[in-house]
């Protein structure tokens, strides 16, 4: 399952954020433009909050099961 959004950092650089969730693994990646490579990174608290908010939107539309959502929440570092 894949989630994505755009965000700006403190320097004003716009990043395309992509989060892949498969088999209990959560991988955050980002890139700045169409012809740049994806860079894997550890998501911060704000990005985890955004990821869970995006996942909650998929529950009513049955694009994600409650079991998958609970597994995703369990992957968040404490």
């Amino acid at each position: 399952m894949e989630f994505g959004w755009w965000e700006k950092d403190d320097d004003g650089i716009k990043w395309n954020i992509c989060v892949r969730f498969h088999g209990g693994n959560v991988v955050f990646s980002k890139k700045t433009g169409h012809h740049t490579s994806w860079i894997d990174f550890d998501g911060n608290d704000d990005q985890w909050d955004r990821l869970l908010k995006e996942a909650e939107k998929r529950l009513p539309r049955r694009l994600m099961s409650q079991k998958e959502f609970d597994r995703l929440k369990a992957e968040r570092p404490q």
Side-chain angles (χ1 to χ4, degrees):
M1 189 166 296
E2 195 170 289
F3 301 87
W5 62 87
W6 290 88
E7 68 180 35
K8 284 189 178 180
D9 63 7
D10 295 336
D11 299 328
I13 298 172
K14 193 173 180 181
W15 292 93
N16 183 3
I17 307 294
C18 177
V19 183
R20 294 179 309 279
F21 174 60
H22 181 71
N25 297 321
V26 179
V27 178
F28 283 84
S29 301
K30 65 181 178 179
K31 71 176 186 173
T32 56
H34 183 69
H35 297 291
T36 58
S37 299
W38 288 98
I39 302 167
D40 290 344
F41 69 100
D42 296 326
N44 60 27
D45 286 338
D46 292 336
Q47 290 161 337
W48 271 99
D49 291 341
R50 175 77 185 259
L51 173 60
L52 294 176
K53 187 175 85 173
E54 294 292 327
E56 280 180 9
K57 291 180 187 178
R58 296 184 182 194
L59 287 174
R61 298 182 294 168
R62 298 187 187 270
L63 298 175
M64 181 178 215
S65 70
Q66 185 65 44
K67 184 178 177 181
E68 289 173 318
F69 181 71
D70 293 339
R71 240 186 283 152
L72 179 63
K73 283 197 314 188
E75 290 296 319
R76 183 178 187 161
Q78 298 300 328

